[in-house]
Amino acid sequence: MGFFNRLSRLVRANANAAVSGMEDPVKILDQSVADMQSDLVKLRQAVALAIASQKRLSNQSEQAEAQAKTWYERAELALKKGEEDLAREALTRRKTFQETATSLGAQVQSQVGQVDTLKKSLVALEGKIAEAKTKKDMLKARAQAAQAQQQLQSAVGSIGTNSAMAAFERMEEKVEAMEATGQAAAELAGTDLESQFAALEGGNDVDDDLEALRNQLKGGPEAVALPAAETSDQVKPVQVEEVDADLEDLKRSIDKL
């Protein structure tokens, strides 16, 4: 027995949770106001029926009292005419109508109390509906704002854990790293190229000077002629030992470049 009770409670709990999860506050508020409006219509109909019943009972009571008065007048007439038995019959009818009028009068009083209660309930329900309509718009706005906030928080939370966004960020970092590497390689290549051309441009002059010195030292037919002197005396051949020191100085100056 305990097992089935627990199972029944579990089923009801899951059903309630499912229903609660499917409830839309905006739709429920509209439906609640619509239900109250339907109750208001029914209550108005009940009040109308109670008032109609009260009037009908009141009319019947008045008619019974009128009949009792009529039969009393008839009893007086019969008694004046010496018709005692007829007068007694008239008084019997009068008594019947009096009892009916009294009973109907009690019902009328009871119906008056019911009508008053229904009218108060009607006024109270109309006030609640008016208040509910005022609150409904405010609650709908709050519900919509809360739903928007939840969606925003959900979107923000999913961005931090979204694998697609994480992959996008990784690729962005990778592209930036590739761009930095390419820029560095371009700068290095440009520097190396400039240095190579500078070496080529500067090396030609040194090589030419060195070759000219070699030819001059050889003293052969391809030797570079020295400038002509102001006198007619022949220039003496230059000894190798005399230019060794100059050659060493020139090498050291070239190495410093």
Side-chain angles (χ1 to χ4, degrees):
M1 190 65 181
F3 171 77
F4 290 106
N5 288 335
R6 292 172 58 189
L7 180 60
S8 175
R9 188 178 299 109
L10 178 61
V11 172
R12 292 196 306 272
N14 291 332
N16 290 331
V19 171
S20 298
M22 291 185 296
E23 284 183 341
D24 185 352
V26 175
K27 295 180 180 179
I28 296 299
L29 287 170
D30 290 336
Q31 186 61 44
S32 298
V33 173
D35 292 341
M36 285 189 285
Q37 288 281 35
S38 179
D39 293 339
L40 180 62
V41 172
K42 293 179 181 178
L43 185 55
R44 285 175 176 172
Q45 292 174 349
V47 171
L49 291 174
I51 293 174
S53 178
Q54 175 188 341
K55 290 182 178 181
R56 184 174 62 253
L57 291 173
S58 180
N59 292 333
Q60 291 175 354
S61 177
E62 291 175 357
Q63 291 176 2
E65 290 178 355
Q67 288 293 329
K69 183 180 180 181
T70 299
W71 283 108
Y72 183 78
E73 292 175 351
R74 288 176 179 178
E76 286 181 342
L77 179 61
L79 189 59
K80 289 179 182 180
K81 299 293 184 178
E83 299 290 339
E84 186 175 343
D85 292 338
L86 188 60
R88 184 181 289 106
E89 183 65 24
L91 290 175
T92 301
R93 295 287 184 91
R94 172 180 179 269
K95 185 178 181 181
T96 301
F97 280 109
Q98 280 183 330
E99 291 176 353
T100 301
T102 301
S103 176
L104 290 173
Q107 293 181 26
V108 169
Q109 293 300 320
S110 176
Q111 193 69 15
V112 168
Q114 292 181 5
V115 170
D116 290 340
T117 301
L118 289 173
K119 286 182 177 179
K120 291 179 181 178
S121 299
L122 180 61
V123 172
L125 182 57
E126 288 175 344
K128 289 182 179 179
I129 291 176
E131 183 181 0
K133 287 181 178 179
T134 303
K135 287 185 177 180
K136 182 190 72 172
D137 296 334
M138 179 182 64
L139 291 174
K140 287 174 64 175
R142 290 170 58 186
Q144 292 172 350
Q147 290 176 349
Q149 184 67 22
Q150 289 178 353
Q151 293 175 354
L152 178 61
Q153 293 297 330
S154 178
V156 172
S158 63
I159 289 176
T161 57
N162 194 332
S163 59
M165 181 59 70
F168 184 88
E169 292 176 353
R170 289 198 306 271
M171 292 303 100
E172 183 179 8
E173 294 177 356
K174 187 172 182 179
V175 169
E176 292 177 352
M178 293 172 63
E179 290 177 347
T181 302
Q183 292 176 356
E187 292 178 359
L188 291 175
T191 302
D192 185 62
L193 187 63
E194 291 291 337
S195 61
Q196 291 179 7
F197 274 104
L200 291 176
E201 293 172 354
N204 290 335
D205 296 337
V206 174
D207 291 340
D208 292 342
D209 293 340
L210 182 60
E211 186 64 24
L213 287 175
R214 286 176 179 172
N215 292 331
Q216 181 179 353
L217 294 175
K218 288 179 181 179
E222 296 179 356
V224 178
L226 294 176
E230 295 180 355
T231 61
S232 60
D233 297 337
Q234 295 295 324
V235 178
K236 295 181 180 180
V238 179
Q239 300 297 322
V240 175
E241 292 79 2
E242 295 178 0
V243 297
D244 284 341
D246 294 336
L247 181 60
E248 291 297 329
D249 291 339
L250 182 59
K251 289 182 178 179
R252 283 195 295 271
S253 64
I254 292 173
D255 292 338
K256 291 180 181 180
L257 295 176

